Amino acid sequence: MTGKRLILLLASLVLSSPALPSAAKTLVYCTEASPDTFDPALASGTRDASATALYNRIVEFEPGTTKVRPGLAEKWEVSDDGLTYTFHLRRGVRFHSIEGFTPTRDFNADDVLFTFERQGSAGNPFHNYAGRQYIYFDGIGMPDLVVGWRKLDDYTVVMTLKAPHSPMLADLALDFASVVSKEYADRLLAEKRPLDLATRPVGTGPFQLVDYQQDAVIRYKANPDYWRGRAKIDDLVFAITTDASIRMAKLRAGECDVMPYPNPADLEAIKAAPGIRLMQQEGLNTGYLAFNTLQKPFDDPRVRKAIDMAIDKKAIVDVVFRGTGELARNPLPPTSWAYDKSAPGDGYDPDGARRELAAAGVHDLRMKVWAMPVQRPYNPNARLMAEMIQSDLAKIGVGVDIVTYEWAEYLARSKARDRDGAMLFGFTGDNGDPDNFLSVPLGCAGVGTTNRANWCFAAFDALLKQAAAIVDPAARAKLYVEAQRLFREQTPWVVIAHSVVSIPMRERVRGYVMDPFDHHDFSGVDIQD
């Protein structure tokens, strides 16, 4: 056979043969902890396991920014008095189909009303279906902000406020506002299995849940009907790997593609590792030690101030953060437009701390310090931090017992009003607005939920409400500066650090965008070997 005839034969075979299916694209994300639920309205500590992958909100954030964009609402209007928000909903959006449930209709206004009514109305059958609070709905103060929601037609809903609230649109882009299917909830209620709403989730998001093995793996698949367009990857796997060193070893070995929360000490080696790149940006976060201000002796600001003065926070930042942290002076991070630049330094003063305790009549104090079992950008090694605090407080005669719990239990126990001691925790902003950063973890509405200090200070709370009712950022910033001054006087937290956020990934990962709120959105990510 001549070369020319051979080429023609091969060409005809290629043209006549059926196309081979392309290999499925799988991305493995080595996450650090199991989710405590797949219902984002109930979630309290693990963000990326449900809301971003499985759900949408009526408004959402432009990827990588704090800018609000349309989500399940195509557009909206706000009345001149700031009290009425009218949302025009997107048509043709389908909820996921899972085993045992196939939606008979598209997303509509009934789903939006159900999403918020189940959280706000004690009479709704899903108000307490999991035996847990809707802590973010309560902690952000929604019951005191919203009169209610009403339906004008299947694709128009109206929210009415009690008073103008400047951050409201950004608040509605948060995880707790993820829209769930009323049709699915009604089916579960009729079949007497309401808990499936949190364990067998149905959303409108870019991925669908396939399988979950606690403390091991979460498997998702691309939603073929996703209204923004099908994801570029076919399968998304969350490999639950609590130890940062093991996550790093898996990344090097090609067993995972993206990992969060690397050890700060490993960053230089990561930068030099072949086949891996490191994305970094300043975090919108604050790591802190929260007193329980409802319990003696920490109900006394003098005692709280004494503990603050006794802790060498600069040493903690140097040792724990290894160049990735900045000493905190305020509850707000420096990346916030309302940050108080006039705040003094950390005030490390062990002798002054002894005098403060004596003035408060406190002697032979012994306390607990809770250490988080997981890593976060605002605290990459809580155990080491707790041990350094223990050593510092011993120098002023205060004994410390370090305690910890599994992460879900830590989150649950830490909300209690009768919790003993002080706990290491932190906050990453959810929407970029200073109201979010101050109201959620420090406002009166969050006591017993998102406010781990259980601190309700009337003057502070009044400033936050006044600022949120104003549109002008400059006028709002002045009020937030005053609120930060009150915070420093009262010291409900020992503020420790703000950090740089680092995300290592394999070079084959394309299109990943770092999120200012510590979410991980894989809907636009591709992989190319």
Side-chain angles (χ1 to χ4, degrees):
M1 183 179 292
T2 67
K4 184 175 180 180
R5 290 180 62 195
L6 178 59
I7 291 171
L8 289 172
L9 177 59
L10 290 174
S12 66
L13 287 173
V14 169
L15 291 171
S16 62
S17 300
L20 295 174
S22 58
K25 293 184 177 182
T26 299
L27 185 142
V28 180
Y29 168 63
C30 283
T31 187
E32 86 297 347
S34 293
D36 57 349
T37 179
F38 286 101
D39 181 348
L42 294 173
S44 58
T46 303
R47 303 173 178 225
D48 53 11
S50 58
T52 306
L54 297 170
Y55 298 97
N56 293 110
R57 290 136 295 280
I58 55 175
V59 294
E60 300 185 330
F61 293 111
E62 193 75 40
T65 77
T66 60
K67 180 183 177 182
V68 174
R69 67 170 176 172
L72 293 177
E74 290 183 310
K75 59 182 180 177
W76 57 86
E77 297 96 33
V78 183
S79 62
D80 291 341
D81 61 7
L83 298 179
T84 303
Y85 291 64
T86 303
F87 295 96
H88 303 276
L89 305 181
R90 195 176 298 275
R91 296 171 184 266
V93 175
R94 298 289 291 175
F95 280 99
H96 302 155
S97 294
I98 64 171
E99 185 179 353
F101 174 74
T102 300
T104 63
R105 63 164 175 83
D106 291 349
F107 152 80
N108 66 27
D110 293 335
D111 304 305
V112 176
L113 266 59
F114 171 72
T115 292
F116 294 103
E117 286 176 357
R118 72 179 180 124
Q119 298 181 64
S121 173
N124 188 288
F126 278 88
H127 186 68
N128 193 34
Y129 80 103
R132 293 171 56 176
Q133 293 173 284
Y134 290 113
I135 68 165
Y136 212 97
F137 183 88
D138 294 335
I140 205 170
M142 290 294 281
D144 297 325
L145 294 171
V146 180
V147 174
W149 292 78
R150 59 192 173 93
K151 170 183 171 180
L152 296 187
D153 57 48
D154 280 350
Y155 291 95
T156 313
V157 295
V158 176
M159 176 187 67
T160 305
L161 303 187
K162 298 177 182 179
H165 189 68
S166 185
M168 180 53 72
L169 269 180
D171 288 347
L172 293 177
L174 304 182
D175 289 357
F176 83 96
S178 297
V179 175
V180 294
S181 167
K182 183 179 187 302
E183 182 184 17
Y184 181 51
D186 288 344
R187 172 81 63 83
L188 295 178
L189 200 63
E191 296 175 358
K192 295 182 171 50
R193 49 188 183 98
L195 283 175
D196 279 14
L197 196 69
T199 59
R200 303 183 70 242
V202 167
T204 59
F207 296 96
Q208 300 176 227
L209 182 67
V210 174
D211 181 48
Y212 171 46
Q213 299 171 38
Q214 187 170 1
D215 299 327
V217 67
I218 312 169
R219 299 184 188 277
Y220 301 96
K221 66 178 181 181
N223 174 8
D225 302 317
Y226 186 45
W227 57 274
R228 276 200 172 109
R230 189 186 187 280
K232 296 175 182 177
I233 55 175
D234 302 290
D235 299 297
L236 175 62
V237 178
F238 284 17
I240 299 164
T241 313
T242 57
D243 187 283
S245 298
I246 297 176
R247 291 199 298 275
M248 191 63 235
K250 286 185 175 182
L251 189 71
R252 286 176 178 273
E255 295 175 23
C256 65
D257 296 293
V258 182
M259 65 166 280
Y261 318 132
N263 287 322
D266 293 337
L267 291 178
E268 289 306 312
I270 290 171
K271 291 175 183 177
I276 295 173
R277 72 176 182 274
L278 181 68
M279 298 183 72
Q280 291 184 298
Q281 68 181 19
E282 278 192 275
L284 187 69
N285 61 51
T286 303
Y288 57 80
L289 178 73
F291 300 102
N292 185 356
T293 62
L294 293 179
Q295 299 296 310
K296 291 185 178 300
F298 304 114
D299 58 339
D300 187 336
R302 295 174 297 177
V303 176
R304 303 195 297 260
K305 178 61 73 175
I307 299 300
D308 179 88
M309 294 165 66
I311 296 173
D312 187 351
K313 295 176 280 293
K314 183 180 184 305
I316 288 175
V317 172
D318 290 344
V319 172
V320 175
F321 289 84
R322 301 287 291 270
T324 64
E326 175 183 349
L327 192 65
R329 297 188 291 161
N330 289 305
L332 281 178
T335 46
S336 170
W337 52 264
Y339 180 77
D340 180 12
K341 297 178 181 178
S342 68
D346 69 337
Y348 176 54
D349 183 1
D351 292 334
R354 293 187 193 93
R355 290 192 295 271
E356 284 282 350
L357 284 181
V362 174
H363 306 282
D364 302 320
L365 175 62
R366 189 160 198 93
M367 61 182 287
K368 289 182 180 178
V369 168
W370 294 36
M372 299 159 51
V374 298
Q375 294 163 299
R376 289 290 184 268
Y378 53 70
N379 194 333
N381 192 333
R383 181 75 195 192
L384 176 57
M385 190 180 292
E387 289 170 353
M388 294 183 73
I389 290 171
Q390 182 184 52
S391 176
D392 285 341
L393 295 186
K395 295 172 186 174
I396 65 164
V398 174
V400 168
D401 298 313
I402 299 172
V403 298
T404 192
Y405 302 94
E406 181 271 330
W407 184 224
E409 186 177 359
Y410 189 94
L411 292 170
R413 285 174 175 255
S414 65
K415 292 179 290 188
R417 293 169 184 259
D418 61 352
R419 186 197 78 235
D420 53 356
M423 64 172 295
L424 289 170
F425 209 55
F427 191 78
T428 295
D430 293 304
N431 64 16
D433 194 286
D435 175 76
N436 166 260
F437 216 101
L438 297 175
S439 291
V440 174
L442 289 165
C444 292
V447 171
T449 57
T450 54
N451 183 340
R452 259 57 179 206
N454 289 321
W455 182 64
C456 178
F457 194 65
F460 179 88
D461 223 50
L463 284 169
L464 301 189
K465 288 181 170 62
Q466 184 182 351
I470 298 172
V471 174
D472 178 37
R476 294 182 71 201
K478 290 180 181 178
L479 295 171
Y480 291 130
V481 166
E482 179 65 15
Q484 289 168 86
R485 184 187 66 78
L486 287 178
F487 169 92
R488 293 193 301 271
E489 288 178 359
Q490 291 292 311
T491 323
W493 300 344
V494 176
V495 291
I496 296 171
H498 316 291
S499 80
V500 171
V501 178
S502 303
I503 306 289
M505 65 191 67
R506 295 175 67 194
E507 288 184 345
R508 74 179 195 141
V509 177
R510 298 285 187 271
Y512 181 89
V513 177
M514 284 194 74
D515 181 85
F517 314 124
D518 199 26
H519 284 73
H520 300 276
D521 181 0
F522 297 105
S523 61
V525 174
D526 199 357
I527 49 177
Q528 296 177 3
D529 288 313

